[in-house]
Amino acid sequence: MRTCHKSGSAASRSYRSNQHRKRSVPSSADSKCQASEREERDLVPSPWDSVESAQRQLQTFSESFGLSYFRLCIQARRPSNDYVRVEFSNLSRMWVDRYRRCNYAKIDPVLALLDDANEPFAWDAIDRQNIEVRRYLEDAAFHGLVDGFTVPLHCSNGESAHLTLAGAALTTDIEERWAMYAATYRFQWTAFSSLRPLLLRLPGPPSTTLTDKQRQILVLLMQGMGVKSIARTLGLHARTVDDGLRRACLRLGVTSREQAIVRALATRQIDPAELVPPPPPPIEFHLNATRR
């Protein structure tokens, strides 16, 4: 009887174990359903998968605080150790043009505070004793930027971001402000972590280094040679020389050949000593003695 009881218990445990394995292993129909759900989930667009969707997310978030304008700047580090910088903003074109025309970047107090700021700050904390800063803030208020705040984000590898929300006057309640700062920080971190992979896939800046052939053409050009003379000297066609000059201007970011020479000298891609053309070969005179 005892042996039979043990066999019955073992059989019961084996049956329960088999039933558990049957329940834990999904059927083919369940696998198809789960795969279909994953495909549908992958087809759902991310709110940060494009510039337009990112702009909508930022607009909705800024309006949740009763503010009309936003400016998000992101700096991401490439594997090649260079940085890509992108800005998302809905500031008015009139203000952007005036900001550039008046060279406000030199006196912008928000940019000055961002260099050392590790915590959020509101615009009412800006020192207005400087008359230029005061005029700048008055001009910004005239264009709808009455008040605002900025939340900086710094990473240890040099990457950074800062989100500025502006518009009407902010609340004066300290607790409400810090709650607003905390929500903005979380939102900014989500935006940064979502947009960073997209930014790193952007093409890098074009190379500004001249090729050897382009450098030779510029050197001969600044020595006073024309296109045809350069072509004869280098054994090229005149069209090839013109194309090399055009590509050199594109690489150096200039619009004329003279500017290309100046930029190449400024970036030390051309040695100033090469400005002096090489001396001409000596002329040899052959005197033949005449017999009488």
Side-chain angles (χ1 to χ4, degrees):
M1 294 295 295
R2 184 176 296 177
T3 304
C4 293
H5 180 70
K6 285 185 178 180
S7 300
S9 300
S12 177
R13 287 195 300 271
S14 176
Y15 174 78
R16 288 196 299 271
S17 177
N18 291 334
Q19 289 294 332
H20 176 71
R21 282 197 295 268
K22 288 180 181 180
R23 288 195 299 268
S24 62
V25 177
S27 63
S28 60
D30 292 338
S31 300
K32 291 181 180 179
C33 291
Q34 292 176 2
S36 177
E37 290 177 359
R38 284 195 299 269
E39 291 177 358
E40 292 178 357
R41 191 164 55 247
D42 294 339
L43 291 175
V44 176
S46 169
W48 304 99
D49 60 352
S50 66
V51 176
E52 292 77 11
S53 59
Q55 292 276 122
R56 288 194 296 270
Q57 291 290 321
L58 289 163
Q59 184 70 42
T60 303
F61 183 76
S62 61
E63 290 177 351
S64 66
F65 296 120
L67 301 174
S68 304
Y69 301 100
F70 63 83
R71 183 171 180 261
L72 173 64
C73 298
I74 297 178
Q75 174 177 277
R77 186 175 184 177
R78 299 179 188 271
S80 56
N81 289 332
D82 60 327
Y83 291 92
V84 54
R85 298 173 179 84
V86 178
E87 177 180 327
F88 300 87
S89 173
N90 68 339
L91 298 175
S92 66
R93 175 57 59 184
M94 184 180 299
W95 170 247
V96 173
D97 292 341
R98 182 167 179 78
Y99 189 94
R100 293 174 179 172
R101 187 170 60 254
C102 297
N103 201 13
Y104 277 155
K106 291 185 177 181
I107 60 175
D108 190 345
V110 176
L111 294 181
L113 289 174
L114 275 175
D115 293 338
D116 301 322
N118 293 318
E119 295 183 353
F121 60 89
W123 292 3
D124 54 10
I126 296 175
D127 187 6
R128 300 171 185 254
Q129 294 182 0
N130 189 325
I131 187 171
E132 292 183 349
V133 172
R134 188 162 62 249
R135 287 177 179 175
Y136 165 82
L137 293 174
E138 291 174 355
D139 199 2
F142 177 78
H143 288 83
L145 307 175
V146 178
D147 201 358
F149 67 94
T150 301
V151 177
L153 174 65
H154 300 285
C155 302
S156 58
N157 62 349
E159 297 181 330
S160 64
H162 64 268
L163 176 57
T164 298
L165 303 180
L170 299 178
T171 177
T172 56
D173 187 88
I174 301 299
E175 293 184 359
E176 291 183 5
R177 280 201 179 187
W178 279 103
M180 185 166 54
Y181 295 161
T184 304
Y185 180 83
R186 291 192 297 268
F187 176 84
Q188 181 177 215
W189 176 253
T190 301
F192 175 78
S193 57
S194 301
L195 292 172
R196 181 180 178 275
L198 301 178
L199 301 182
L200 295 180
R201 289 199 294 268
L202 293 176
S207 175
T208 58
T209 303
L210 298 174
T211 63
D212 292 338
K213 190 64 66 178
Q214 292 170 354
R215 199 187 68 82
Q216 290 176 1
I217 292 174
L218 281 180
V219 167
L220 295 177
L221 180 68
M222 70 181 184
Q223 289 178 358
M225 289 190 181
V227 173
K228 293 182 179 179
S229 300
I230 296 174
R232 285 194 300 267
T233 303
L234 298 179
L236 303 174
H237 197 278
R239 292 182 181 177
T240 305
V241 175
D242 281 329
D243 184 67
L245 289 171
R246 182 182 61 83
R247 293 178 181 273
C249 291
L250 289 176
R251 287 203 173 210
L252 296 173
V254 296
T255 57
S256 67
R257 298 173 181 179
E258 293 77 10
Q259 293 176 353
I261 293 175
V262 173
R263 182 64 60 83
L265 289 169
T267 56
R268 297 184 178 181
Q269 299 191 56
I270 292 178
D271 190 354
E274 295 176 311
L275 283 169
V276 181
I283 300 176
E284 297 181 359
F285 295 95
H286 300 279
L287 300 177
N288 297 325
T290 59
R291 295 181 179 177
R292 292 185 179 179

